Amino acid sequence: MSSFNTSNQAAVFDVVLPNGIRVDVRTRAGTAAFLKYSNVNYLSSKVREMRKIQKKKKLNADDEAMLGELNYFISIIAENADPCRDLFRERVAESEVQCWLEYNIEEVKRLTTSETWIKTGDIFQGLGEMIRGWIFMFSHAVPVAFAFDSDFFSALADMIKARKGEGRALPSEKICFCIAHCLVPNAVYVATSQFDNTWSTEKAFKKLEASGLLEQFLRCATAPAPQGAPVSYFGELLQSLLDFPVFLSRKFKRGDPCGDAVTAIVDGKDGSRRIRPEIMKTFQNIDGLRNAADPSGLSPMRSACAFCKERVLRSKMMTCSGCHWNQYCCSECQKGDWENHKQDCKDFSKSFSTSKARKEYWKPQDIAFTATEKFVQQNFGAFTSMMAKECMKTGLGIHDLIVELNFMRDKDGNIPAIQHPPIFKIAPRQKYVEALPLGVPCDVKDEKGRDITVDALKRIHSKITPGKVGFVVHIAGEFFFATMSL
């Protein structure tokens, strides 16, 4: 933000303490002395001065400059107090912070209807310094806590949405930078590190989404940072959305505000046209990950009928009594598929003397697939987050990856509970398969339990479609290959 060159600037920042010592609050030492020795009601006194100016029907240049100085005074105290947060929290009463925040909410709501803001997405100097005040006040716990508890963030979201005009109607790049690179990251960082009962990052995202500001954060995040701007927590914060796939799947669906914002940004219909490639890549990864199903409806809990292909809860499926493999959603489908399935069923049945032997043959495969389903179901967040990060690192899609799981049986031959945290490997599927020697058995079984060669494995690999993930499941010396829809 710009600095000031007014004649009375020194008078505003030179403060005489009760002990007669004069300090310049623009220095850290001066701020520390001011907080320690003054009757710290400076926020309410500055707010009274600003309200007095705002009552005028029309502001002149001196009025705007004075508003800027008053806001700058507030921001410089907050900025210089950053190394001594405990002193700030101890000496600045909560009622003072509440007074300041209420004034800012009033100003945001007033600005939302300002013709200048609606047309240009920019603001005059005094309000620019007000935003600077938000940024540095939100490096302290009490202002952030009050902001989350009030309607400040929802008012700010409404202000950004009120911006209209030609093109994509974003605020100016300077304002976008302040919101996306400074204000929101500061608030999240403080909530997750300085609150008495610290929040998780996911909780902070949920609060921002409920206020509507997360959607506007995403839009503002597409604007490039001004030249020479300091590196911020912004990029890490944006990427951390990938750590919460369940949150994305529930709140970033098409038709939801955040979901529609991501869709429009990825399609090039919203956001800055000067979005940096690495930021666009993050949005593309968010777009891909949010389409993963909510774990409560994961497709592994359903199986496809061998005849009509409808996916039905496994507990309701019927299994062929001959081969004990093909599954059907109803007796009509089983009858309808008999002509196609009959020969395979009879050929397979001849290999076993009893029905019990056929069931025993499928038991390891059933254990493998049940274990895989359980793994994905119980560790959905960690699993999909790791896959998303692998996609970011390699530039591949989820269906281009393969997951290797290792499970050990307990003393009774059963698969024990999935370890926590989960242990698994993810690799590019093509490299994984091509690393195996050609034309030899590879101790891998397909979904029907048959041994397959690397050649066959490669053919299966080539048929995996988007939306599916390949698994190689290792259980007590045996390998099984499977695909699973996400």
Side-chain angles (χ1 to χ4, degrees), residues 205-232:
F205 278 140
K206 288 178 178 178
K207 292 280 190 178
L208 290 171
E209 188 277 331
S211 73
L213 189 58
L214 185 57
E215 172 197 2
Q216 302 309 321
F217 164 75
L218 296 171
R219 298 181 66 239
C220 291
T222 64
Q227 189 173 4
V231 176
S232 73

Side-chain angles (χ1 to χ4, degrees), residues 93-366:
E94 291 186 358
S95 59
E96 287 286 296
V97 176
Q98 190 71 50
C99 175
W100 169 82
L101 189 63
E102 288 172 355
Y103 168 75
N104 279 272
I105 292 172
E106 292 170 11
E107 285 301 290
V108 168
K109 291 180 178 179
R110 184 179 65 80
L111 185 61
T112 300
T113 61
S114 162
E115 187 175 338
T116 300
W117 169 258
I118 292 171
K119 287 184 177 180
T120 68
D122 214 341
I123 48 184
F124 62 81
Q125 180 175 280
L127 289 177
E129 291 302 330
M130 181 176 71
I131 293 178
R132 189 180 190 277
W134 302 343
I135 292 168
F136 290 109
M137 286 291 279
F138 286 167
S139 64
H140 299 277
V142 173
V144 172
F146 283 1
F148 274 113
D149 287 341
S150 70
D151 61 348
F152 175 81
F153 288 136
S154 59
L156 182 58
D158 289 341
M159 185 188 88
I160 299 170
K161 286 191 289 186
R163 161 79 175 104
K164 306 292 181 184
E166 296 180 3
R168 304 180 187 199
L170 279 175
S172 68
E173 289 186 353
K174 179 174 67 175
I175 301 299
C176 283
F177 172 79
C178 289
I179 292 168
H181 289 253
C182 304
L183 189 150
V184 172
N186 276 10
V188 172
Y189 176 78
V190 169
T192 56
S193 64
Q194 294 181 29
F195 279 9
D196 291 336
N197 295 308
T198 55
W199 291 2
S200 66
T201 304
E202 184 175 19
K203 180 176 179 178
F205 278 140
K206 288 178 178 178
K207 292 280 190 178
L208 290 171
E209 188 277 331
S211 73
L213 189 58
L214 185 57
E215 172 197 2
Q216 302 309 321
F217 164 75
L218 296 171
R219 298 181 66 239
C220 291
T222 64
Q227 189 173 4
V231 176
S232 73
Y233 172 55
F234 151 77
E236 183 181 339
L237 180 64
L238 185 64
Q239 286 194 23
S240 69
L241 279 166
L242 295 167
D243 293 330
F244 310 107
V246 175
F247 172 67
L248 293 181
S249 69
R250 291 175 178 171
K251 296 298 183 180
F252 279 60
K253 300 188 297 291
R254 285 172 174 79
D256 293 332
C258 289
D260 287 346
V262 169
T263 299
I265 290 167
V266 170
D267 292 345
K269 296 177 181 178
D270 196 5
S272 172
R273 290 185 175 87
R274 299 205 298 146
I275 185 172
R276 300 199 308 274
E278 64 271 23
I279 300 300
M280 176 58 84
K281 182 64 178 176
T282 300
F283 275 105
Q284 290 168 341
N285 285 320
I286 291 172
D287 182 44
L289 186 56
R290 67 177 172 158
N291 294 320
D294 186 298
S296 62
L298 275 177
S299 56
M301 304 309 292
R302 298 172 179 264
S303 292
C305 174
F307 184 65
C308 71
K309 308 306 179 186
E310 181 180 354
R311 302 193 69 82
V312 178
L313 287 173
R314 291 185 58 182
S315 59
K316 296 184 178 181
M317 296 291 279
M318 301 172 59
T319 302
C320 174
S321 60
C323 63
H324 294 283
W325 178 253
N326 274 24
Q327 293 183 314
Y328 302 94
C329 63
C330 61
S331 57
E332 287 76 13
C333 282
Q334 185 173 12
K335 292 176 182 177
D337 190 46
W338 179 242
E339 284 301 316
N340 179 57
H341 175 57
K342 178 169 56 177
Q343 193 59 49
D344 284 343
C345 187
K346 288 181 177 179
D347 290 345
F348 182 79
S349 298
K350 289 177 182 177
S351 305
F352 299 93
S353 57
T354 65
S355 175
K356 182 178 179 181
R358 290 194 292 275
K359 288 181 180 180
E360 287 298 314
Y361 178 83
W362 291 122
K363 189 173 181 180
Q365 285 79 347
D366 189 52

